[in-house]
């Protein structure tokens, strides 16, 4: 790399290197909001009490996620009962005395094994069955980072310039891919029929350690978001989608928006941080007018529009962000709006 005369010392050299490695800082904003979605199908007539059975787990799944799945579903039903007036309660587990063996699972259509008739369920009008499979894959890789500079020709009055030799080294990176598959069924105890079947759906998340390109040591895996926290979030996402078919639920949105190199996009992110959502939309639209393929501005406009309650507009922006981009954050936002935009409860 050749440095022209006039670059002022090591600071100027580092500035050039940061620009070359794409290390210039970008504006970011974390945005959180929530809304309530109305039920899509509702509960069977007369179903007032539901028993939740332990979740069946896959071969790679830690048994603790069976109980976690039950806890998540129970909390969602209890919240719908207490906050949104849903006339249903969850039977206390210690008071539920069903015989949940393979025969019951087969009778409910959730097991491939042959079985007999379902067991007797005491004190519940319906029972909720679930399957959960959790898979975590870890991959290690390498990333280059600057480890030193040889400033040949620098030194002496005037910093007359010269050749810069950059020394780099490889540091280890870790990538974790987490996959959670959920399946739910609500069975009417009065006739043994499946009232609602939430087909197996897969949710994914990826976490990766990074190293700064400038004198950067690698992050350790311990510095990533705790694995169980991410898995719990994915389990809850599947459970919330299922429960929302049966009763009103609250949807929580936590979005992080990162600016592109466009000045208007950066301004939009700053306005997001200030909760000036109208101003943010205007800035993001200006960025897209200058750069039609600015997917970061499109995503930011979608987040701001969703926070404003303009859900159809938010969907259009999310779809625009997804165009030509293989980005799970964008596609999750688009799918969220597709699933819920027509059912979001209007503010009173």
């Amino acid at each position: 790399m050749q440095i022209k005369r006039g670059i002022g010392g090591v600071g100027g050299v580092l500035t050039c290197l940061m620009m070359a490695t794409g290390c210039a800082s970008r504006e970011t904003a974390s945005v959180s909001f929530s809304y309530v979605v109305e039920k899509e199908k509702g509960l069977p007539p007369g179903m007032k009490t539901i028993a939740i059975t332990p979740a069946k787990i896959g071969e790679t799944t830690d048994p603790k996620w069976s109980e976690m799945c039950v806890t998540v579903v129970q909390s969602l039903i209890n919240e719908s009962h207490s906050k949104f007036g849903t006339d249903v309660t969850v039977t206390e587990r210690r008071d539920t005395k069903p015989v949940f063996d393979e025969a019951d699972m087969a009778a409910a259509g959730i097991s491939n094994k042959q079985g007999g008739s379902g067991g007797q369920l005491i004190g519940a009008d319906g029972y909720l069955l679930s399957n959960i499979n959790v898979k975590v894959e870890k991959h290690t890789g390498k990333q280059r980072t600057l480890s030193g500079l040889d400033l040949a020709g620098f030194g002496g009055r005037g910093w007359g310039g010269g050749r810069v030799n950059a020394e780099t080294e490889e540091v280890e990176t870790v990538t974790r891919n987490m996959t959670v598959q959920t399946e739910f069924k609500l069975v009417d105890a009065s006739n043994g029929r499946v009232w609602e079947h939430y087909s197996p759906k897969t949710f994914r998340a990826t976490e990766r350690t990074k190293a700064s390109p400038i004198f950067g040591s690698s992050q350790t895996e311990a510095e990533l978001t705790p694995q169980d926290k991410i898995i719990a979030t994915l389990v809850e996402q599947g459970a919330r989608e299922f429960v929302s078919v049966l009763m009103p639920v609250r949807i929580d949105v936590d979005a992080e928006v990162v600016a592109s190199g466009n000045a208007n996009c950066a301004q939009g992110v700053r306005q997001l941080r200030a909760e000036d959502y109208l101003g943010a939309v205007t800035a993001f639209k200006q960025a897209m007018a200058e750069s039609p393929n600015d997917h970061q501005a499109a995503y930011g406009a979608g987040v701001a529009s969703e926070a404003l309650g303009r859900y159809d507009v938010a969907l259009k922006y999310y779809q625009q962000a997804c165009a030509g981009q293989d980005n799970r954050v964008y596609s999750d936002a688009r799918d969220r709006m597709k699933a819920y935009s027509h059912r979001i409860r209007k503010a009173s």
Side-chain angles (χ1 to χ4, degrees), residues 147-158:
S147 60
L149 291 174
D150 176 14
L151 305 179
F154 283 81
R157 292 183 299 173

Side-chain angles (χ1 to χ4, degrees), residues 92-115:
E92 287 293 332
R93 298 175 206 179
R94 63 177 178 270
D95 297 330
T96 304
K97 304 182 183 299
V99 181
F100 286 112
D101 55 14
E102 283 296 339
D104 295 288
M105 299 299 103
I110 206 168
S111 170
N112 291 326
K113 294 185 178 180
Q114 296 298 315

Side-chain angles (χ1 to χ4, degrees), residues 9 43 72 117 135 150 181 189 200 213 223 241 254 292-293 314 319 321:
L43 294 164
V72 168
S117 60
K135 186 177 181 180
D150 176 14
Q181 186 183 69
E223 294 176 83
E241 286 191 13
D254 296 299
N293 295 325
Q319 289 172 326

Side-chain angles (χ1 to χ4, degrees), residues 55 57 61-69 132 134 228 231-232 235:
I57 60 173
T61 306
D62 191 312
K64 68 183 177 185
W65 294 111
S66 174
E67 186 67 17
M68 171 62 75
C69 188
I132 180 170
V134 177
D228 283 3
I231 294 173
V235 171

Side-chain angles (χ1 to χ4, degrees), residues 301-314:
V303 171
S305 298
E306 189 175 358
L308 286 167
R310 300 175 176 177
Y311 305 116
D312 290 340
V313 175

Side-chain angles (χ1 to χ4, degrees), residues 281 285 288 295 297-303 305 312-322:
V281 170
K285 287 172 68 176
M288 288 183 285
H295 56 90
Y299 177 66
V303 171
S305 298
D312 290 340
V313 175
L315 175 59
K316 291 179 181 179
Y317 282 129
Y318 289 145
Q319 289 172 326
Q320 184 174 343
C322 287

Side-chain angles (χ1 to χ4, degrees), residues 51-88:
I52 306 174
T53 74
K56 304 287 285 184
I57 60 173
E59 294 181 357
T60 63
T61 306
D62 191 312
K64 68 183 177 185
W65 294 111
S66 174
E67 186 67 17
M68 171 62 75
C69 188
V70 173
T71 300
V72 168
V73 174
Q74 180 170 344
S75 67
L76 290 170
I77 294 175
N78 287 341
E79 180 183 51
S80 188
H81 171 75
S82 62
K83 293 187 177 181
F84 310 129
T86 303
D87 188 16
V88 67

Side-chain angles (χ1 to χ4, degrees), residues 133-137 175-182 198 200-207 227 229-238 241 326-335:
N133 289 281
V134 177
K135 186 177 181 180
V136 179
E137 296 178 324
T175 301
R176 293 188 319 206
N177 296 314
M178 286 152 282
T179 303
V180 174
Q181 186 183 69
T182 59
Y198 180 88
K201 188 169 182 179
T202 302
F203 303 89
R204 296 182 175 88
T206 299
E207 285 265 294
Q227 178 176 299
K229 182 177 181 180
I230 296 175
I231 294 173
T233 299
L234 298 178
V235 171
E236 182 176 356
Q237 187 176 349
E241 286 191 13
D326 183 16
N327 186 308
R328 191 168 295 146
V329 172
Y330 297 170
S331 60
D332 283 350
R334 177 201 62 199
D335 294 345

